Amino acid sequence: MPLALLALAIGAFGIGTTEFVIMGLLPEIAGDYGASIPTAGLLVTGYAIGVVIGAPLMTVLGTRIGRKTMLMLLMGLFVAGNLLSAAAPSMGVMLAGRLVASLAHGAFFGIGSVVAADLVAPDKKAGAIATMFTGLTVANIVGVPLGTFVGQAVGWRATFVGVAALGVVGLLGIVKLVPALPRPEGAHLRGELTAFRNPQVLLAMAMTVLGFGGVFAAITYIAPMMTRVAGYSDGAVTWLLVLFGIGMFLGNLLGGRFADRRLMPMLYASLGGLAVVLGLFTLTAHDKILAAVTILLIGALGFATVPPLQKRVLDQAHGAPTLASAVNIGAFNLGNALSAWLGGLVISAGLGYTAPNWVGALLAASALVLAVWSAALERRAPGRTSAVPTAVPTAVPTVSIPVHH
């Protein structure tokens, strides 16, 4: 694997850290600004909305300039947004910083995955993409817990300064290690948009919104839930986030392994299991040990949905993998925004800090219903299923997790 992939992995590590670390620091940020926890939760929603908007827009811009230049621009936006967040004198400015940083998220993973695949031989493309996305999964095991610890010990602003520094390292790595890549030939907006004429693409993205949204409904408010319901100390939130990250890492491996072999059964099992576990979290959140086990399972089942959901979109994309990939990253984050907002609503309504868990369970169950419906429609018209695009590997997630994804 070329060293250029290390630069992409560092960028992915920084992006993953800034997206998820906010959950562990919500009480500190809310207290600093004199805001409620649900109001501070808008920082999660705002970031996710920025990814939804920025992913397609920045990806389209990326078809007009060289990919290396575009990656450098995206990392520059990422650094600027995190520095603005670190210095923000008010919640409004903090939200603006989150929005600026979020513009880099979707396009970085969408364009970065294509770049990673172009750097290696055809039989190593999946491994190259997986190497880049290792940065995202490691962020949830190392970066997010460490950022939470630093934020609680020194102050949350120091965490965002550190994340910005990671972005600088990633930018320098791209400058030094990623070769100059020409602007992709024949790329145009009209051609990329043809993929969205297929109803199966839209159904797959709807599954993405609801499925991974279920994870964020619970995890957005994990800090107050664990400290005020389970009885954990503030410092324990760091280790609970480590458990969540380990679950994500394991789920990513599991989902990636089976996405090519048994895609729809994998989706049924992961979405169904996620709905059940989120529902149980309403009860297990009152016990320290059971809560910790449940958090691990939420991470595993949540990220097990990412590779098959991303592959489902790419399978149906009909020759437009770059834009479809980026828009699906936006779909992951649309689910994040929706679930964080709904979770804040039920808390504000006085239903308690565990109420977002059953909201997440309903979202995951809805995604399962859509998956069954999509498969039924496909069986009725099997000739409409397209081949998997060869330019982008299909067993590797592009979320923020997210993606993401």
Side-chain angles (χ1 to χ4, degrees):
M1 292 294 176
L3 284 176
L5 295 177
L6 177 61
L8 297 177
I10 292 172
F13 180 88
I15 290 174
T17 300
T18 203
E19 179 183 19
F20 286 98
V21 76
I22 193 77
M23 272 81 82
L25 298 176
L26 276 186
E28 286 74 20
I29 294 173
D32 195 16
Y33 290 127
S36 66
I37 292 292
T39 298
L42 293 176
L43 296 173
V44 178
T45 303
Y47 185 94
I49 291 174
V51 176
V52 172
I53 296 172
L57 291 180
M58 301 302 287
T59 301
V60 169
L61 176 60
T63 65
R64 302 178 182 276
I65 62 177
R67 286 170 175 161
K68 176 175 179 176
T69 302
M70 189 61 195
L71 288 172
M72 292 165 56
L73 172 63
L74 292 171
M75 289 311 299
L77 280 175
F78 174 78
V79 171
N82 281 283
L83 288 177
L84 181 58
S85 294
S90 66
M91 181 74 77
V93 178
M94 173 71 170
L95 180 58
R98 296 282 291 168
L99 287 171
V100 171
S102 70
L103 293 177
H105 185 122
F108 182 87
F109 285 110
I111 297 173
S113 63
V114 177
V115 169
D118 286 346
L119 291 172
V120 297
D123 61 337
K124 296 182 178 180
K125 291 182 182 294
I129 296 287
T131 299
M132 183 186 74
F133 279 101
T134 298
L136 179 64
T137 57
V138 172
N140 288 277
I141 300 174
V142 178
V144 172
L146 181 60
T148 302
F149 173 78
V150 170
Q152 291 175 344
V154 182
W156 61 266
R157 296 180 189 275
T159 296
F160 286 95
V161 171
V163 172
L166 282 173
V168 172
V169 174
L171 174 58
L172 293 175
I174 292 171
V175 172
K176 295 292 185 180
L177 300 177
V178 175
L181 301 170
R183 184 177 72 87
E185 297 181 3
H188 54 86
L189 181 58
R190 181 178 298 178
E192 293 285 340
L193 289 174
T194 57
F196 300 95
R197 296 177 183 174
N198 184 355
Q200 287 284 8
V201 171
L202 302 180
L203 269 176
M205 290 181 176
M207 284 183 261
T208 296
V209 171
L210 297 173
F212 205 70
V215 176
F216 254 66
I219 296 303
T220 297
Y221 301 99
I222 192 68
M225 191 189 312
M226 290 298 94
T227 56
R228 303 182 188 184
V229 177
Y232 279 106
S233 65
D234 290 342
V237 174
T238 298
W239 306 111
L240 292 171
L241 289 173
V242 171
L243 276 180
F244 178 67
I246 292 172
M248 291 174 66
F249 179 80
L250 296 175
N252 178 44
L253 293 179
L254 181 66
R257 181 173 183 177
F258 289 100
D260 277 323
R261 304 179 190 177
R262 305 273 293 173
L263 189 149
M264 295 310 291
M266 184 64 202
L267 265 184
Y268 300 152
S270 55
L271 289 172
L274 181 62
V276 170
V277 169
L278 284 168
L280 289 175
F281 198 24
T282 305
L283 302 175
T284 61
H286 295 270
D287 180 87
K288 288 184 177 180
I289 295 177
L290 292 178
V293 173
T294 306
I295 289 170
L296 177 69
L297 290 175
I298 290 173
L301 290 167
F303 238 72
T305 69
V306 176
L309 283 171
Q310 183 67 12
K311 185 178 186 296
R312 183 70 176 172
V313 169
L314 295 175
D315 281 352
Q316 307 292 336
H318 296 297
T322 304
L323 184 58
S325 174
V327 170
N328 199 48
I329 293 172
F332 278 108
N333 284 271
L334 179 59
N336 299 348
L338 174 66
S339 60
W341 175 67
L342 290 174
L345 282 183
V346 294
I347 292 175
S348 297
L351 299 179
Y353 285 110
T354 62
N357 298 329
W358 58 257
V359 172
L362 290 175
L363 291 173
S366 299
L368 176 60
V369 171
L370 287 184
V372 173
W373 183 29
S374 176
L377 292 177
E378 191 173 34
R379 284 194 296 270
R380 296 174 190 173
R384 297 186 61 181
T385 302
S386 65
V388 179
T390 58
V392 177
T394 58
V396 182
T398 57
V399 172
S400 359
I401 259 93
V403 37
H404 85 1
H405 56 25

